Amino acid sequence: MIVLSERSRAAWGRCLSSPRVLAGACLIVILLLVALFAPWLAPHDPQDQDLLSTLLPPFWMAEADPAYPLGTDTLGRCILSRLIYGTRIALYVAIVAASGAMLVGTVLAVVSGYFGGTIDWLISRAVDIWMAFPPVVLALILLVGLGAGVNKVILAIVLIDWTRFCRVIRSEVLVTMTLDYIPAAKILGFSHARIMLKEILPAVTPLIITVLSIEMGIAVIVEAIMSFVGMSVESNVAAWGVMIADARTTMHQAPWSVVFPIGAIFLTVLAFNLLGDGLRRALDGRLVQRNG
Amino acid sequence: MVLQARNLTVSMQSGSTRIDVLRDVSFSLAPRKVLGLVGESGAGKSMIGRVISRNLPKQFSIGSGNLSFAGQDLVGSSTESLSALLGDRIAFVPQEPLTALNPLMTVARQFVEHLDRIGVARDHQPQRMAQALREVRLLDPDRVLASYPFQLSGGMCQRVLIAIAFASHPALVVADEPTTALDVSTQATIVQIMRGLQRDHDTALLFITHDLRLAAHVCDEILVLYAGEVVEHGPARAIATAPQHPYTRALQAANPSPSGPLTRLPSLPDNMPGLAGFASLQGCRFAPRCPAAEPACHTQVPALVQTVPGHAVRCPLTDRQQAAAKPALLQTARADSASEVILEARNLSKYFEATRNWFGRREGPGLHAVRPMDFVVRAGEFVGVVGESGSGKSTLARLLMGLETPTSGQISLDGTLLDADTAETRRLRLDTLQMVFQDPQSALNPRRSVEELVTQVMESRMTRLPPEERRQRAKDLLNETGLSPELIDRYPSQLSGGQKQRVNIARALCVTPRLLIADEIVSGLDVSVQAQILNLLLDLKAQREIGLVFISHDLSVVRYLCASMIVMRHGKVVEQGPTEQIFADPQHAYTKALFAAAPPADLDHPWPPEQASLS
């Protein structure tokens, strides 16, 4: 049985009573279920073309076909099915890319804050220089070098966004380093690695969780941009960015084919941001005190 | 009367229950008089200042009774009429001088803001400021006015705040622990300045403090608070010399005396309950800790009764309390010079290089934190290191523990020279020497349970112990440090200050060290809890023959514990030797000044001394 300290129990309580956290978490659970059960939920294969019924409107409009609840695109593919399958790509990139960025950023942040001195100087300057590049341009340059593909997009996000974790978490590590339990652990014979893992990491975990959920939202947007410009998934895979790109030419006759994927992106990013913001409010001791 | 409270009750709404945080408090304060509110943390002594400034925390409200200033009701009056009084007729001197001033504004700008508010014409302001600063003995007012708060010392900031508070010649000044954050010698100066201003301007002073001895010297009348209740109220001298309530007696007895024979400090069990615990105290709120409590005490609230005119006590049993049996005399004989030397420091020093900027240029001068010093600690010997802030005593502790590398000199442990940072020397240091940190709040990882904390050192061993063994060890350590074994699964946030400090000590004892380094470990604790911890250290010495380097700013505490002592100033040892000898006949001018600055136990001895300034 996991015994929770009073502190963590209180933190859980605050999380579960926060409308932001609840709304964000519910949306994300729904999205995860949709991604997981896509083959059962989707009425059609996302790549099946029905050239006889192209650009069908969604169900509430006059010429709608009940077989295609959200209508079809220029090639007669089912928009609902493509949206459902697109969730898989979006969440895959969100989870893997954000976790990767978190891993790299957190390790460097803890090492940098803990050892200080030259190591800290080097890592901090690297972050400064890295952050000076415009991220989208940097991503495009990286993808030109790495080649297209969804895993390359993930790699690009990790290589660009580790700095976000590194900078935020390093400052929290520095705060923890001023507490006496760090020298106390040194005196008790703890090795550097043990101090970092057992004393510092638990102290910065709430912040890591918060930044992670915000980063997931960012990863969804980056992936959509990259698949829009054709740098991510192959063109025969359903992704929200690809759907927007495909629908560009017929936007005026069939606006819904753009509106639905944009709506999906909006909802997913909103869910991650709500969760992140809610967690920050619930877990940040300074904010908790201020709100009484 | 300047300030008058009649049956003032402040309550806190917690869920559906109302808890009286301050119950039935009455007092009156006349012009030119000083009233002391004395009590331990959580007794409610700051609450009165908060009622005056209408700064009560959320959920707190005034239940009944009233508080009036020069006949004007402070509780019911409008916000406008109150804010016209505050800062003008009623002024405050805060506890933390450094945080009370805005670090982004010069002293002059903050002073001008205040003078504008109290309606001093612009042309008169420079003259008024200079005069006010001279009155608080800041002899170079122009320099002080042009400074930012962080460029001044804590004592200077407090003097600036006192000058600002007295600038409007208020009728009442509320000083909440004005000297707690300051050094002993600064405390004497601040008290002297406040008393002087208060007499010159016919001001009434409400002096809030935890230090009964200090209050006895400063105040005319004292109100002793315990758990939100006035337990004793009377003339300062009577309360300090002949306290009648068992709590006041315990408070007085728990404070080690700077002179006279040393006896073991009687200490009260446990600690004062927190606010939530007040609700379950049906009768006398002190009954659960009272050595003289009778069954009736737990059910009936005793009334505050005058025993002699002007002296009231909330205890019906005062006359039945026999004088407590004379406590045993304490043995603080110097360790036998034949017993083995555990720690030897030779020529030990630390110099902090100035930090260099991007271009390699030094930013400011370096700091000689510890100048070359020699000393030995023998088995079972307690050595006190005394000094004010900036004396280098904490750097000394960090040097001994290997957290800083010495600039020069050597440390030997058990006859082995610690000359290199190898696995063996680290092992030796870990097995022989342990440190107890000042602030248990910061020294205990809030995410570890008590069991994990006290046995934390076991995690650093290569071989893993079975969990049952670890738990057993934790229980033994809790037992040895006087903690209930029920606390074993608690987290630091669920412990009181005294319990945390015991856990802190238990953790250092886990390796069975032969020498402890304790850096100001009782300075954040209430007097009654401090006595418990001091006695615990003495018991450990008797049971384990453990040695101790006890770093403190409090001379009486060092005298109580340590047979020999070292006095440090600006990183330099100014005097070193047997404690009794130094107390009887201090040689160095600084040591003499330190002794003079501490409030004496004898009330006939005038304090603060005429020339209290050390710098």
Side-chain angles (χ1 to χ4, degrees), chain A residues 16-63:
Chain A
L16 294 180
S17 60
S18 147
R20 282 185 180 82
V21 174
L22 284 181
C26 281
L27 274 171
I28 290 164
V29 168
I30 292 170
L31 286 167
L32 275 172
L33 290 175
V34 167
L36 219 57
F37 297 106
W40 290 275
L41 290 171
H44 300 270
D45 185 299
Q47 303 309 333
D48 269 358
Q49 300 183 359
D50 184 352
L51 293 171
L52 293 175
S53 42
T54 60
L55 292 178
L56 283 176
F59 64 89
W60 63 83
M61 288 170 117
E63 302 127 56

Side-chain angles (χ1 to χ4, degrees), chain B residues 27-272:
Chain B
F27 60 81
S28 47
L29 174 57
R32 274 179 76 85
K33 291 290 178 195
V34 183
L35 175 69
L37 294 180
V38 179
E40 297 181 292
S41 51
K45 56 188 189 302
S46 298
M47 213 51 82
I48 293 179
R50 282 170 166 260
V51 171
I52 298 172
S53 60
R54 263 202 215 154
N55 188 20
L56 284 174
K58 261 189 207 164
Q59 291 140 357
F60 283 59
S61 60
I62 290 155
S64 62
N66 65 44
L67 186 67
S68 59
F69 170 76
Q72 186 183 344
D73 181 21
L74 288 175
V75 175
S77 64
S78 69
T79 320
E80 292 81 52
S81 62
L82 182 77
S83 58
L85 287 178
L86 296 180
D88 188 6
R89 305 287 297 138
I90 305 176
F92 294 84
V93 177
Q95 175 170 5
E96 295 283 346
L98 283 170
T99 51
L101 287 166
N102 185 342
L104 300 177
M105 281 157 69
T106 58
V107 169
R109 266 191 69 191
Q110 305 187 45
F111 212 148
V112 163
E113 230 170 50
H114 181 70
L115 291 178
D116 281 346
R117 207 177 99 63
I118 60 173
V120 175
R122 280 271 165 155
D123 350 336
H124 295 151
Q125 284 180 359
Q127 188 205 335
R128 275 287 282 275
M129 290 195 288
Q131 189 204 339
L133 291 177
R134 267 192 219 102
E135 276 185 292
V136 294
R137 296 202 213 139
L138 289 168
L139 298 177
D140 189 357
D142 294 336
R143 190 181 72 80
V144 173
L145 284 170
S147 307
Y148 287 92
F150 56 83
Q151 295 169 319
L152 305 172
S153 69
M156 287 169 100
C157 284
Q158 192 63 293
R159 287 193 235 179
V160 168
L161 284 161
I162 291 171
I164 293 178
F166 278 92
S168 54
H169 304 305
L172 171 69
V173 169
V174 180
D176 191 349
E177 302 261 13
T179 59
T180 307
L182 306 173
D183 282 325
V184 207
S185 55
T186 322
Q187 162 171 302
T189 317
I190 295 289
V191 166
Q192 208 174 16
I193 289 170
M194 281 180 56
R195 286 287 292 187
L197 282 170
Q198 173 256 332
R199 281 198 200 101
D200 295 349
H201 298 303
D202 288 343
T203 314
L205 179 63
L206 188 64
F207 191 81
I208 302 170
T209 180
H210 66 281
D211 188 340
L212 184 58
R213 194 179 293 153
L214 175 65
H217 282 281
V218 175
C219 307
D220 300 305
E221 262 185 58
I222 289 179
L223 211 64
V224 182
L225 289 166
Y226 180 82
E229 256 178 359
V230 177
V231 293
E232 193 161 355
H233 180 188
R237 179 171 281 265
I239 287 196
T241 52
Q244 301 198 342
H245 193 278
Y247 174 68
T248 323
R249 290 184 183 192
L251 204 60
Q252 192 215 27
N255 203 355
S257 168
S259 55
L262 279 177
T263 50
R264 193 177 163 91
L265 297 177
S267 61
L268 290 171
D270 301 325
N271 52 290
M272 190 162 65

Side-chain angles (χ1 to χ4, degrees), chain A residues 6 180-181 187-188 194 199, chain B residues 442-443 445 448 460 464 494:
Chain A
E6 193 185 19
D180 280 341
Y181 67 78
I187 287 171
L188 294 171
R194 182 169 282 278
E199 309 289 320
Chain B
S442 142
N445 187 339
R448 282 175 176 270
S460 67
R464 274 307 171 86
Q494 297 164 291

Side-chain angles (χ1 to χ4, degrees), chain A residues 82-150:
Chain A
R82 288 177 70 74
L83 272 184
I84 288 173
Y85 274 87
T87 316
R88 291 186 147 187
I89 299 290
L91 291 186
Y92 170 66
V93 172
I95 291 166
V96 179
S99 308
M102 174 198 75
L103 215 63
V104 177
T106 305
V107 168
L108 287 173
V110 172
V111 167
S112 169
Y114 177 74
F115 287 106
T118 319
I119 297 176
D120 184 34
W121 192 91
L122 284 175
I123 294 176
S124 300
R125 293 299 85 75
V127 171
D128 288 345
I129 293 167
W130 220 258
M131 281 188 136
F133 283 106
V136 177
V137 176
L138 189 57
L140 286 172
I141 294 169
L142 275 171
L143 286 176
V144 167
L146 295 165
V150 67

